[in-house]
Amino acid sequence: MLLPHGNSRYHGSRWRPLRLTVFLLMLLAGIAGVVQGQGGSGKAPVYQIDIDGAINPGALGLLKHGIEVAELNDAAALIVRIDTPGGSLSSTRDMVSAIGAARVPVIGYVGPSGAGATSAGAFILLSTHVAVMNEGTTVGASSPVAGDGSDIEGTMAKKVMNDSRAFMRSIAERRGRNADVAERFVSDAESVTATEALEARVIDRVVAEASQLLSTLEGTEIQFQGEPMMLDLAGRTPVKIEPRLIDRVLAVIASPQIAHMLISLGMLAIYIELLSPGLAFPGVLGTIAVILGLIGAQALPVNMGFLILLFLGLALMFAELFVAGLGVLGIGGAIAFVLGSLNLFDLPPTDQYRNTVLAVSVGVSAAVMLATYLIGRGLASARPREKSLVGKHGEAMVNFEKDGYVLIDDKRWPAETRTPLHHGDAIVVVAETDDNRLVVESAPKREDV
């Protein structure tokens, strides 16, 4: 704001009330904006997440993120829309625990028509404070199976079955639902329709369509954290929470087939690198693939796995100083660093935050690679000119046909050759150029005496 200039105190005192008025108006406008952003009428918002596809660490991360957002904004409720064929039992247990510890009411909704809360989905639906199904949906068929879909055999089958039955019964009893029918979902792989589930007191409501969900539940009394609570949901429109990048990545790599493929192809690529040292490309991509596969198979904790990727990226970019400038290691390191950065931090799914992290990650990667390149050139140019290396023997550090790097007396030197060289080939210096580069050619390996 532009204010008049003057050399008297009268001017300052005259404009001070105006400044205060403008400040108060801006403050009120900000408060109004916040209220409007939370529903436009000052009412607590209602949030919604969609769990489609298999239950895995990606679905778990999305649920936890949805609960956190709802709690931070003092939401009236969080709707968890379910349409899943099942998935990981360990992720299911963690999701049930997250719902039980939530400080906002969680509404489980199976929809739209044709959807199903199958297998793991039934555990999640029955664990919510209010369980609702759309007409034309199903729930049940929760018998445990192996990761590839085959039956579990022997004593392990009995252990898993009995544990799953007890788990389902405890969930149903906690929410006051029909534990006998719920247990048959596990023991007999029983599946029921929405109407049958309501008649059996497995769920609380059936709605014709999603638009009737909140109006149907308005005024419903539930047990929340051991106390009766009346749901106040009228006049709200659910605010959808989109999956974050890490949720999308985990949803893909947590598939048993994808995780197995990443680990298998990664190990094959590393084996190729061991057979032909110096290729770099198979080793770098193979290592990244194995780490992602271990994260997907839940052999590595999610945050730990992406933290390893981040540090791997930094190590690979610094390794360019000792191998080759701005080559495969640097590019692979930049990819690993960006992957680790984007998925390590628990960021909102907005483009602003995602683009900020992406820009910082790419900027840091570019800065590290540039610094490595400049340092490498500086070290090479620091050689005293009066000491000639002509006639010195060494070995090629990388595969190169024209320009590359060689190792002489444990020091790295930029070099050029007229004949292709491979990593580990013996070389001899035949000339030096004016820009401190060495001209080398292949030489027979010298035998130690």
Side-chain angles (χ1 to χ4, degrees), residues 261-271 273 280-293 309 312:
M261 182 183 68
L262 285 172
I263 295 175
S264 300
L265 294 180
M267 295 300 295
L268 176 60
I270 293 174
Y271 179 66
E273 179 69 29
F281 181 76
V284 171
L285 290 189
T287 303
I288 295 175
V290 168
I291 294 175
L292 289 176
L309 267 182
L312 173 66

Side-chain angles (χ1 to χ4, degrees), residues 194-241:
T195 303
E196 292 170 340
L198 181 63
E199 292 175 350
R201 295 182 297 105
V202 175
I203 63 172
D204 304 300
R205 294 285 191 280
V206 174
V207 296
E209 55 187 52
S211 60
Q212 300 176 1
L213 179 60
L214 296 184
S215 59
T216 300
L217 295 179
E218 172 64 21
T220 300
E221 183 176 294
I222 64 171
Q223 287 294 318
F224 181 68
Q225 296 182 343
E227 299 291 337
M229 177 181 180
M230 193 79 70
L231 293 178
D232 178 17
L233 307 174
R236 271 79 158 189
T237 299
V239 180
K240 190 173 180 180
I241 300 175

Side-chain angles (χ1 to χ4, degrees), residues 55-57 59-61 63-64 67 88-102 123-124 127 167 171 298:
I55 301 300
N56 54 36
L60 171 61
L63 175 65
K64 288 184 174 180
I67 292 175
S88 166
L89 182 58
S90 62
S91 295
T92 302
R93 287 184 176 275
D94 291 338
M95 293 176 75
V96 170
S97 298
I99 292 172
F123 288 90
I124 297 169
S127 69
F167 183 40
I171 291 173
Q298 302 182 54

Side-chain angles (χ1 to χ4, degrees), residues 80 82 96 99 106-110 116-117 119-133 137-140 171 175 177 185 197 202-204:
V80 180
I82 303 170
V96 170
I99 292 172
V106 178
I107 300 171
Y109 167 61
V110 184
S119 193
F123 288 90
I124 297 169
L125 176 66
L126 268 62
S127 69
T128 59
H129 300 94
V130 186
V132 185
M133 294 179 66
T137 59
T138 60
V139 61
I171 291 173
R175 299 302 182 196
R177 301 190 170 108
F185 290 167
V202 175
I203 63 172
D204 304 300

Side-chain angles (χ1 to χ4, degrees), residues 53-178:
I55 301 300
N56 54 36
L60 171 61
L62 176 59
L63 175 65
K64 288 184 174 180
H65 177 60
I67 292 175
E68 290 172 359
V69 171
E71 291 176 345
L72 287 174
N73 291 277
D74 296 324
L78 171 67
I79 300 172
V80 180
R81 189 184 68 79
I82 303 170
D83 183 12
T84 175
S88 166
L89 182 58
S90 62
S91 295
T92 302
R93 287 184 176 275
D94 291 338
M95 293 176 75
V96 170
S97 298
I99 292 172
R103 297 195 299 273
V104 295
V106 178
I107 300 171
Y109 167 61
V110 184
S113 180
T118 307
S119 193
F123 288 90
I124 297 169
L125 176 66
L126 268 62
S127 69
T128 59
H129 300 94
V130 186
V132 185
M133 294 179 66
N134 203 110
E135 292 179 354
T137 59
T138 60
V139 61
S142 303
S143 298
V145 294
D148 58 359
S150 61
D151 290 335
I152 306 174
E153 299 180 355
T155 304
M156 180 58 68
K158 296 180 181 179
K159 292 174 63 175
V160 176
M161 174 63 74
N162 291 335
D163 181 66
S164 299
R165 289 173 57 184
F167 183 40
M168 180 66 86
R169 174 171 283 276
S170 67
I171 291 173
E173 290 177 347
R174 180 182 182 184
R175 299 302 182 196
R177 301 190 170 108
N178 191 327

Side-chain angles (χ1 to χ4, degrees), residues 207-418:
V207 296
E209 55 187 52
S211 60
Q212 300 176 1
L213 179 60
L214 296 184
S215 59
T216 300
L217 295 179
E218 172 64 21
T220 300
E221 183 176 294
I222 64 171
Q223 287 294 318
F224 181 68
Q225 296 182 343
E227 299 291 337
M229 177 181 180
M230 193 79 70
L231 293 178
D232 178 17
L233 307 174
R236 271 79 158 189
T237 299
V239 180
K240 190 173 180 180
I241 300 175
E242 296 292 341
R244 301 160 298 173
L245 176 62
I246 187 172
D247 302 324
R248 299 181 189 276
V249 171
L250 289 174
V252 174
I253 66 175
S255 167
Q257 294 82 2
I258 298 296
H260 182 267
M261 182 183 68
L262 285 172
I263 295 175
S264 300
L265 294 180
M267 295 300 295
L268 176 60
I270 293 174
Y271 179 66
I272 293 174
E273 179 69 29
L274 293 176
L275 291 179
S276 303
L279 293 178
F281 181 76
V284 171
L285 290 189
T287 303
I288 295 175
V290 168
I291 294 175
L292 289 176
L294 292 175
I295 294 173
Q298 302 182 54
L300 269 179
V302 174
N303 288 342
M304 178 61 68
F306 285 113
L307 183 63
I308 292 174
L309 267 182
L310 188 146
F311 282 109
L312 173 66
L314 288 174
L316 289 175
M317 287 186 285
F318 281 119
E320 283 289 343
L321 184 61
F322 307 99
V323 180
L326 295 179
V328 174
L329 291 185
I331 296 173
I335 293 173
F337 183 80
V338 172
L339 278 175
S341 299
L342 286 176
N343 296 288
L344 176 62
F345 304 104
D346 184 13
L347 295 176
T350 61
D351 291 338
Q352 178 183 358
Y353 283 91
R354 187 163 50 243
N355 292 340
T356 299
V357 175
L358 180 61
V360 171
S361 301
V362 172
V364 170
S365 301
V368 172
M369 293 172 67
L370 179 60
T372 302
Y373 175 69
L374 294 177
I375 291 172
R377 291 192 60 182
L379 291 176
S381 63
R383 172 172 58 89
R385 293 292 299 166
E386 63 273 8
K387 185 177 180 181
S388 175
L389 292 179
V390 175
K392 283 279 190 178
H393 288 260
E395 66 178 35
M397 296 186 68
V398 292
N399 301 335
F400 65 100
E401 296 183 357
K402 183 178 179 181
D403 297 319
Y405 288 84
V406 296
L407 188 68
I408 299 175
D409 294 336
D410 296 326
K411 293 182 180 179
R412 172 180 179 268
W413 301 91
E416 59 185 56
T417 179
R418 298 181 181 89

